[in-house]
Amino acid sequence: VPVVVNSFSCSFRDGAQALPSQYGRAYLSGPRIVFTSWTKKKLNLKWEEVKGIKGVPSFNDQGDEGIQIICKRTDASEDSCMILDGFEQRQSALDTMEDLRVKAIEAAEAQMLAEAASKEEPIIEPGGVVPPDTVIKDMNVVVSKHLRGISIQKFHETVWSEKVKPLFRPWVEKEAFDVEMGDWKEGEYEGPWCKEKYDFERTIKFRVKRKTHLYIGPPIANVIQVHRCRVVDNDKCIVSMTIEFEGIPYSDTFAVEVRWVALREGANDIKIECGLVVDFKKKTFLKSKIQSGTLEESTPVHKSFFQQMQSACVAAGGVQATEEVEEPVVAKPKKSGYQMVLETVQDNQQYIHIAAIIGSLFLILLWRIFFSQ
């Protein structure tokens, strides 16, 4: 609860005099000003919404006793204003309000700068250790491998840029058909799930035969993938994929977010990780089925693509990795039966309510049939 810095009795009216004056008390705190009238009407205004504060003549023109507050309005092109009247010590209240407004604005700006700085890439000394990716830790990691003897720049040219030799489209065409793939476009792009910035984007559309169908819907899925890419010096290459489906039941309730991370290790090796998460746009009682089905269908696909990129990197001068054993995959902690039941009830709460209402109506109908005679 914000600490009240100062409070005073006064009257309030809007600058256009569209409303009569309200008498009450104003409370000043670090984040906002609150005016409560004796009739329980309330004004609640954040200091960041205040553009200016100045002294004005009182409503009765009996002295320079009023304070005009000029406010920003998000729903109109013009600003609005309000006036507080009837102060015993107007200058003291004015100074306190202006001081709180300036401090609140400075704090908001500092917070914005801190949030922007947190999203910037960390500075890495040449040849220094590249820190682990902070986004992929919140995803299901389905691939965690190494590529030897190849730089990040060479990796990007070989795997993602498509400038030397096409890689992604020929691999997609092994399983999909009606493939349409656009070129990379340079610009400023943002991932809808990770909220990170990227320098390149392209769109790919194709149709593919589904391996599992959740036992509903057609066996063919229309797939739209949006790829975003950025390369940070010779230290990391990040590719974000937003994958959506068309023409299958419940496809409007979710999108699949995939993240390929390539981090430099040492002088000329790379660690590759691929993470996956289902981003639900709407509630659905099939949430757990969609999650498990997506993970089941996608994991072999991304492992297959890693094999494709590994072969391409070796052909481009890299060294065949000797590791044969699958590296540990970051797994989500298993949930107890109680947690699973609780989540199912929460996800389907609206359906449970509907079923309860229908059941009640049915019982009322039975009662009338058998006991109304």
Side-chain angles (χ1 to χ4, degrees), residues 146-150 265 268-270 313 317-323:
H146 289 86
L147 297 175
R148 309 295 185 187
I150 191 167
E265 283 193 340
N268 220 28
D269 294 335
I270 296 175
C313 289
V319 178
Q320 179 70 48
T322 57
E323 57 187 4

Side-chain angles (χ1 to χ4, degrees), residues 27-245:
Y27 301 87
L28 308 183
S29 66
R32 67 187 70 233
I33 174 174
V34 176
F35 174 83
T36 303
S37 72
W38 306 136
T39 57
K40 304 302 181 182
K41 292 185 178 180
K42 182 176 285 189
L43 165 72
N44 194 328
L45 190 65
K46 293 182 179 179
W47 292 117
E48 298 98 292
E49 300 170 341
V50 177
K51 291 185 65 175
I53 303 173
K54 64 179 182 179
V56 294
S58 67
F59 179 64
N60 296 321
D61 294 327
Q62 295 179 352
D64 194 24
E65 299 176 349
I67 295 178
Q68 184 185 62
I69 303 174
I70 304 171
C71 308
K72 304 173 186 177
R73 293 183 61 182
T74 57
D75 58 345
S77 58
E78 297 181 356
D79 296 327
S80 64
C81 67
M82 57 198 70
I83 296 174
L84 300 180
D85 268 332
F87 295 96
E88 294 181 358
Q89 295 181 332
R90 197 280 308 268
Q91 191 58 46
S92 174
L94 182 62
D95 293 341
T96 302
M97 292 169 67
E98 180 62 19
D99 182 58
L100 290 172
R101 185 184 77 89
V102 171
K103 288 181 178 178
I105 292 175
E106 290 176 348
E109 291 175 348
Q111 183 177 356
M112 290 177 60
L113 291 174
E115 290 176 354
S118 67
K119 295 181 180 180
E120 293 180 356
E121 294 287 351
I123 298 175
I124 303 171
E125 295 294 331
V129 176
V130 181
D133 186 68
T134 58
V135 176
I136 204 167
K137 65 180 178 61
D138 296 322
M139 309 176 81
N140 295 287
V141 179
V142 296
V143 173
S144 181
K145 291 286 189 176
H146 289 86
L147 297 175
R148 309 295 185 187
I150 191 167
S151 67
I152 290 290
Q153 296 289 349
K154 189 67 175 179
F155 167 80
H156 173 255
E157 292 174 3
T158 304
V159 176
W160 296 115
S161 74
E162 307 280 338
K163 291 181 178 178
V164 179
K165 182 180 178 181
L167 178 70
F168 192 81
R169 178 169 186 147
W171 172 76
V172 170
E173 289 177 336
K174 291 180 180 179
E175 297 289 340
F177 53 95
D178 297 340
V179 179
E180 301 177 14
M181 188 168 79
D183 296 329
W184 287 106
K185 296 180 180 179
E186 188 172 0
E188 294 183 1
Y189 305 98
E190 182 179 274
W193 180 77
C194 64
K195 305 302 180 185
E196 290 190 329
K197 304 296 183 182
Y198 297 88
D199 303 317
F200 298 91
E201 183 180 274
R202 70 181 177 187
T203 302
I204 302 169
K205 299 179 181 180
F206 55 88
R207 304 179 70 198
V208 64
K209 185 176 180 181
R210 300 165 64 195
K211 300 296 191 297
T212 62
H213 317 302
L214 302 178
Y215 301 104
I216 56 173
I220 303 297
N222 297 314
V223 183
I224 302 174
Q225 295 190 359
V226 178
H227 297 184
R228 304 167 199 87
C229 178
R230 76 171 181 274
V231 179
V232 182
D233 299 323
N234 194 37
D235 295 318
K236 63 173 67 175
C237 174
I238 309 292
V239 172
S240 163
M241 299 181 182
T242 299
I243 305 175
E244 297 180 331
F245 305 89

